[in-house]
Amino acid sequence: MALVSYVLGDCPGCGAKNSFGNIDVYATRVSLGCGRCTYKESRSLPPITKKILYLDQYFFSHAVRGKDPQFTAAAKLIRELVGLQLLAVPYSDVHEDETHQWAGHEQLLEFIKSTAGGHEFSQTYRVELNQLNKAFEAFLKGQPAAYVPRREDALQDKIDIWDGYYRIEVGGYHGDVDLIRNLKGQAIDGLVALFPGWRGSTNTFEQDVGLEHEAAAKGYLDAYVTFVKRIAEGDFMALMNAPIMSQVIQTLMHHFPSEVAPPERMKHILAFLSSEHIHNTPYHDIQARMYATLKAMVKGGSYMNPEKSIARLSGFYYDVKHISTYAPYCDAFLMDNPMAEIVGRDTVGLTERYGVQVFSRNNWGDFIRWLEALKSGMTNEHKEALRIAYPSISIPA
């Protein structure tokens, strides 16, 4: 006897009236059964490839408020495409961190997760570590420094599957909201305070990119040194509460055979931290270019008004984090206008270098046309599979 989600008719096994139907969808097949007996069937579904879309927080906040028809219509279309198994809109820990800064965040987070349909990106630090581990392996083996992003680097589960009927909610820890909000404000104030100094800089763009890479390497090393000092001083709580960044050097240490002494391991790690292998990881490549591009824009005369700059760049650090982490694994990324302007410049070239379509309010029509093209391109085989897997769904003609 099974829990039937969609009743299709009488049971072929025991003959019970209106007791047979779909139980659930499991990736590549539909499981069917009877609510009265043990009779079961399984029907296979064709392979699918979904497009991946990342929606910036500002989209969700506008959509859930429901006051802007442009956003509510787009949200309805996106949810339709997710239900039609043409599109995946995974949520990330950046979404969760940002959402908890809002009043009424429960409603907003539920909207985000329901739109995602259970699909979730791996945590940002995990994506970063995945890239570093792969790049370090290539470095040690003397392989080319070019990095090819793979979906498995950034996604917790497979995307190209037929979704089941249910999703499991897993809670998370989000820290002190007021503290995070205050630190975010201080960080943007501090960023804008640097602009006058940037305007007097004579560095080239390439030099600024290099400085960003050096700062990232120093951050890893400083975090690791602090961690080692805490352990040496008997503070074993460092094993529990040390910053995530301190794990990077520790993780890279594990790439060596046991007979390689720690000093020799560190020598290779230090060489890696200044190599093209780490610079070419998408996370570090995009992040360094975004910061250096902002510097170039400031030197070129942008962001002259401090108050307007703070308002325009209020989510800058979160935006850089989710773009540099997740954009290389997406087919499209909807972001706000200031970020779209930065990543659209040749110095970042997000679309040209990573193949992700960038949308914002400045090219909203292109965004809607991209979404509509997914629906109009649906094959008859896909439509038939939808009828089998989701009997109640409305399928476009």
Side-chain angles (χ1 to χ4, degrees), residues 1-12 18-24 30-42:
M1 185 163 50
L3 178 63
V4 178
S5 299
Y6 292 99
V7 175
L8 302 178
D10 301 343
C11 177
N18 294 319
S19 65
F20 177 76
N22 289 10
I23 298 171
D24 206 347
V30 182
S31 177
L32 302 93
C34 177
R36 301 284 183 84
C37 72
T38 59
Y39 181 84
K40 287 188 177 181
E41 290 182 11
S42 180

Side-chain angles (χ1 to χ4, degrees), residues 6-7 68 154 168 171 186-187 203 223 296 311 316 344 363 374 391-392:
Y6 292 99
V7 175
D68 190 327
I168 299 173
Q186 292 174 23
N203 285 353
F316 181 77
N363 63 344
L374 299 183
S392 65

Side-chain angles (χ1 to χ4, degrees), residues 255-274:
H255 283 259
F256 298 90
S258 58
E259 61 268 19
V260 178
E264 183 67 15
R265 298 184 191 193
M266 185 57 75
K267 184 178 74 173
H268 289 289
I269 291 172
L270 290 174
F272 169 69
L273 291 178
S274 61

Side-chain angles (χ1 to χ4, degrees), residues 227-245:
F227 170 78
V228 171
K229 284 182 178 179
R230 288 180 63 184
I231 295 296
E233 293 168 356
D235 181 6
F236 294 106
M237 283 301 295
L239 296 170
M240 303 293 294
N241 60 18
I244 293 295
M245 286 184 68

